[in-house]
mmCIF file of all heavy atoms in Angstrom:
data_model
loop_
_atom_site.group_PDB
_atom_site.id
_atom_site.type_symbol
_atom_site.label_atom_id
_atom_site.label_comp_id
_atom_site.label_asym_id
_atom_site.label_seq_id
_atom_site.Cartn_x
_atom_site.Cartn_y
_atom_site.Cartn_z
ATOM 1 N N GLY A 761 13.596 18.715 -7.273
ATOM 2 C CA GLY A 761 14.359 19.742 -6.567
ATOM 3 C C GLY A 761 13.492 20.429 -5.533
ATOM 4 O O GLY A 761 12.256 20.340 -5.573
ATOM 5 N N GLY A 762 14.144 21.095 -4.604
ATOM 6 C CA GLY A 762 13.405 21.854 -3.599
ATOM 7 C C GLY A 762 12.541 21.005 -2.688
ATOM 8 O O GLY A 762 11.593 21.495 -2.075
ATOM 9 N N GLY A 763 12.849 19.699 -2.602
ATOM 10 C CA GLY A 763 12.058 18.828 -1.734
ATOM 11 C C GLY A 763 10.766 18.340 -2.362
ATOM 12 O O GLY A 763 9.936 17.744 -1.678
ATOM 13 N N ASP A 764 10.605 18.597 -3.657
ATOM 14 C CA ASP A 764 9.381 18.147 -4.348
ATOM 15 C C ASP A 764 9.661 16.920 -5.213
ATOM 16 O O ASP A 764 10.740 16.790 -5.798
ATOM 17 C CB ASP A 764 8.846 19.269 -5.243
ATOM 18 C CG ASP A 764 8.303 20.423 -4.418
ATOM 19 O OD1 ASP A 764 7.478 20.165 -3.528
ATOM 20 O OD2 ASP A 764 8.707 21.572 -4.661
ATOM 21 N N PHE A 765 8.662 16.073 -5.289
ATOM 22 C CA PHE A 765 8.786 14.841 -6.067
ATOM 23 C C PHE A 765 7.499 14.593 -6.832
ATOM 24 O O PHE A 765 6.407 14.924 -6.357
ATOM 25 C CB PHE A 765 9.045 13.647 -5.141
ATOM 26 C CG PHE A 765 10.322 13.766 -4.353
ATOM 27 C CD1 PHE A 765 10.337 14.445 -3.144
ATOM 28 C CD2 PHE A 765 11.501 13.226 -4.836
ATOM 29 C CE1 PHE A 765 11.519 14.577 -2.412
ATOM 30 C CE2 PHE A 765 12.688 13.348 -4.111
ATOM 31 C CZ PHE A 765 12.696 14.026 -2.900
ATOM 32 N N THR A 766 7.646 13.961 -8.006
ATOM 33 C CA THR A 766 6.439 13.565 -8.733
ATOM 34 C C THR A 766 5.806 12.360 -8.045
ATOM 35 O O THR A 766 6.438 11.681 -7.225
ATOM 36 C CB THR A 766 6.773 13.148 -10.185
ATOM 37 O OG1 THR A 766 7.627 11.996 -10.144
ATOM 38 C CG2 THR A 766 7.457 14.279 -10.934
ATOM 39 N N PHE A 767 4.559 12.101 -8.378
ATOM 40 C CA PHE A 767 3.912 10.876 -7.925
ATOM 41 C C PHE A 767 4.483 9.725 -8.755
ATOM 42 O O PHE A 767 4.488 9.797 -9.985
ATOM 43 C CB PHE A 767 2.400 10.973 -8.120
ATOM 44 C CG PHE A 767 1.637 9.933 -7.345
ATOM 45 C CD1 PHE A 767 1.140 10.223 -6.088
ATOM 46 C CD2 PHE A 767 1.445 8.660 -7.878
ATOM 47 C CE1 PHE A 767 0.448 9.261 -5.363
ATOM 48 C CE2 PHE A 767 0.764 7.699 -7.151
ATOM 49 C CZ PHE A 767 0.266 8.002 -5.891
ATOM 50 N N PRO A 768 5.000 8.672 -8.125
ATOM 51 C CA PRO A 768 5.630 7.600 -8.894
ATOM 52 C C PRO A 768 4.629 6.889 -9.801
ATOM 53 O O PRO A 768 3.489 6.640 -9.414
ATOM 54 C CB PRO A 768 6.174 6.653 -7.825
ATOM 55 C CG PRO A 768 5.403 6.960 -6.596
ATOM 56 C CD PRO A 768 5.040 8.411 -6.670
ATOM 57 N N SER A 769 5.089 6.560 -11.005
ATOM 58 C CA SER A 769 4.208 5.902 -11.970
ATOM 59 C C SER A 769 3.907 4.471 -11.546
ATOM 60 O O SER A 769 4.618 3.868 -10.733
ATOM 61 C CB SER A 769 4.898 5.870 -13.339
ATOM 62 O OG SER A 769 6.033 5.024 -13.285
ATOM 63 N N ALA A 770 2.849 3.924 -12.123
ATOM 64 C CA ALA A 770 2.528 2.511 -11.882
ATOM 65 C C ALA A 770 3.680 1.627 -12.359
ATOM 66 O O ALA A 770 4.009 0.635 -11.711
ATOM 67 C CB ALA A 770 1.238 2.151 -12.614
ATOM 68 N N GLU A 771 4.294 2.011 -13.466
ATOM 69 C CA GLU A 771 5.414 1.223 -14.003
ATOM 70 C C GLU A 771 6.564 1.160 -12.988
ATOM 71 O O GLU A 771 7.167 0.108 -12.777
ATOM 72 C CB GLU A 771 5.910 1.833 -15.321
ATOM 73 C CG GLU A 771 4.956 1.644 -16.494
ATOM 74 C CD GLU A 771 3.712 2.530 -16.417
ATOM 75 O OE1 GLU A 771 3.708 3.516 -15.626
ATOM 76 O OE2 GLU A 771 2.735 2.228 -17.121
ATOM 77 N N ARG A 772 6.861 2.290 -12.385
ATOM 78 C CA ARG A 772 7.932 2.337 -11.377
ATOM 79 C C ARG A 772 7.581 1.448 -10.182
ATOM 80 O O ARG A 772 8.400 0.671 -9.703
ATOM 81 C CB ARG A 772 8.135 3.783 -10.928
ATOM 82 C CG ARG A 772 9.078 3.961 -9.756
ATOM 83 C CD ARG A 772 10.535 3.783 -10.167
ATOM 84 N NE ARG A 772 11.433 3.948 -9.043
ATOM 85 C CZ ARG A 772 12.053 2.936 -8.411
ATOM 86 N NH1 ARG A 772 11.835 1.693 -8.806
ATOM 87 N NH2 ARG A 772 12.879 3.167 -7.415
ATOM 88 N N LEU A 773 6.362 1.557 -9.696
ATOM 89 C CA LEU A 773 5.983 0.793 -8.505
ATOM 90 C C LEU A 773 5.832 -0.685 -8.802
ATOM 91 O O LEU A 773 6.001 -1.529 -7.919
ATOM 92 C CB LEU A 773 4.691 1.362 -7.908
ATOM 93 C CG LEU A 773 4.782 2.801 -7.396
ATOM 94 C CD1 LEU A 773 3.450 3.247 -6.810
ATOM 95 C CD2 LEU A 773 5.895 2.965 -6.369
#
Side-chain angles (χ1 to χ4, degrees):
Chain A
D764 291 308
F765 299 86
T766 63
F767 196 94
S769 67
E771 289 73 16
R772 172 75 180 105
L773 297 181

